[in-house]
Amino acid sequence: MTTANVGLWLYENSGGAQIEAKMINALKERNIMCFNNLNLRDAYARDGKIICNGMVMEELDLFLSYNAGQQSQFQVYLYEAISRSIPTINNYPAFALSEDKFKTSYLLNNHGIATADYRLCHKNDMEGLKLAMREWGGRVIYKPTDGWGGAGIVKIEGEHALDMLVPFLSRTDLRYFYLERFIDYDNTDYRVDIVDGQYIGCYGRKAPKDDWKTNITSGGSVFLREPCDEVVQLAIKAAAVSGLEIAGVDIIYDREKEQFVVLEINGIPAFATPEQEQMGLNFNQKKIDAIVNLIDRTVHLAHAKVA
């Protein structure tokens, strides 16, 4: 007898379709029926309901949204609305937080978790921008507060470079600038996967030669890396503070301050690709099991509250 109906939207490339199939089979064994391919890009709303591919989303017991590459403003807009009616994974407030680099760093700092030194300035606060440049030794990183994969991130070296960049940025619709101190590190990071407060796995990413960004979409490469306990515990704490049920925490070692620093928290961390599994990244099954357990527990808790 089916105990719950769950909606899924997972990425399909890089092994995603196989991951989804395993997840669906595991949930079926627990009498949880899955409805996949619920891409909210194809949805519409009327009469208090959001309908996607014939499915009334509010009639589901849970919706798992796990596709960063095809995410759109419309999809996220409906995701927020749905989250007010049924449980979602990730929960929308935590997901929205993870999409904003400033708000994430702000919250982590307030809970004693080290991040890159940052400064958020009004777009016309040139003196504030230059002050940050001076305080941080003439090198800063400009980042859009949203976005992923390293898109739009620029290293600025010296006030002259800042003077040249700001007029261009001022012509955009940006309301503020978000800057971070450029961290002296070895051009590698830790990507630590956490699900439901549980450590799942870790790998390293390395920036290409003559670059400093480790993101795969920016040319970075993956390598096997075992984290020390300090890195694991830092990732678990950061995920808990963010409120994310599923999180990929990016951590680097600041050689100047001699401490580990949380750079970002990703709310849709990818599974290992088939090629990465061949090189030894073997956490996919553990991650699937943890997500299945999380879904199972969440829908049963929701049913218990209704009862």
Side-chain angles (χ1 to χ4, degrees), residues 10-294:
L10 273 71
Y11 65 94
E12 296 181 352
N13 62 325
S14 303
Q18 291 76 18
I19 295 294
E20 181 183 68
K22 290 180 180 180
M23 198 176 296
I24 290 172
N25 288 334
L27 288 166
K28 186 177 180 180
E29 291 177 358
R30 303 186 186 207
N31 295 319
I32 298 175
M33 180 65 70
C34 293
F35 298 86
N36 62 342
N37 298 320
L38 294 181
N39 183 349
L40 294 178
R41 178 197 60 196
D42 305 321
Y44 64 93
R46 58 171 293 177
D47 302 329
K49 296 181 176 62
I50 295 171
I51 302 168
C52 183
N53 295 332
M55 173 63 63
V56 177
M57 299 298 292
E58 292 80 5
E59 293 178 359
L60 294 168
D61 294 287
L62 181 143
F63 177 51
L64 171 65
S65 179
Y66 211 85
N67 190 328
Q70 294 181 293
Q71 197 168 269
S72 68
Q73 287 185 331
F74 181 66
Q75 185 266 345
V76 172
Y77 189 65
L78 293 183
Y79 178 18
E80 179 182 13
I82 290 168
S83 71
R84 298 177 184 274
S85 298
I86 63 173
T88 59
I89 297 177
N90 279 299
N91 71 86
Y92 183 80
F95 165 77
L97 173 77
S98 70
E99 293 283 286
D100 189 300
K101 295 178 177 62
F102 159 68
K103 291 179 182 177
T104 299
S105 293
Y106 176 76
L107 181 66
L108 294 177
N109 280 181
N110 281 340
H111 285 80
I113 296 175
T115 69
D117 296 330
Y118 64 83
R119 190 180 186 99
L120 185 75
C121 306
H122 186 274
K123 64 184 299 183
N124 296 325
D125 184 10
M126 279 298 300
E127 187 53 40
L129 295 175
K130 291 183 177 180
L131 179 61
M133 177 74 74
R134 297 179 198 123
E135 289 178 348
W136 297 336
R139 291 193 299 173
V140 300
I141 304 297
Y142 163 77
K143 291 184 177 182
T145 53
D146 57 359
W148 61 281
I153 297 177
V154 179
K155 181 165 67 170
I156 307 171
E157 301 194 62
E159 286 191 32
H160 179 67
L162 182 63
D163 289 338
M164 293 181 64
L165 181 64
V166 167
F168 166 75
L169 294 175
S170 297
R171 289 194 295 270
T172 69
D173 59 358
L174 291 174
R175 293 168 292 171
Y176 39 74
F177 291 133
Y178 177 67
L179 301 177
E180 288 183 352
R181 177 178 66 90
F182 182 78
I183 296 176
D184 174 20
Y185 79 121
D186 65 357
N187 288 357
T188 71
D189 68 6
Y190 296 83
R191 162 58 67 85
V192 186
D193 268 27
I194 306 295
V195 177
D196 202 18
Q198 174 188 359
Y199 167 70
I200 299 298
C202 174
Y203 56 88
R205 298 181 301 181
K206 183 176 182 178
K209 186 178 180 181
D210 300 324
D211 200 354
W212 51 274
K213 289 191 283 188
T214 60
N215 310 80
I216 304 305
T217 51
S218 299
S221 57
V222 168
F223 64 96
L224 299 180
R225 188 170 212 179
E226 286 296 323
C228 62
D229 187 63
E230 183 179 356
V231 166
V232 172
Q233 294 306 314
L234 180 59
I236 290 173
K237 183 177 180 181
V241 167
S242 75
L244 289 168
E245 295 92 347
I246 304 173
V249 184
D250 296 341
I251 297 173
I252 64 174
Y253 185 74
D254 185 333
R255 294 189 290 204
E256 180 182 345
K257 293 191 174 184
E258 298 184 336
Q259 64 179 359
F260 288 108
V261 170
V262 174
L263 270 190
E264 292 184 18
I265 304 180
N266 189 323
I268 312 178
F271 288 80
T273 67
E275 295 76 18
Q276 291 167 352
E277 287 187 290
Q278 289 179 5
M279 65 180 281
L281 295 185
N282 58 3
F283 61 81
N284 277 357
Q285 190 58 53
K286 183 177 180 181
K287 186 171 179 177
I288 292 169
D289 293 342
I291 292 175
V292 167
N293 288 336
L294 172 63

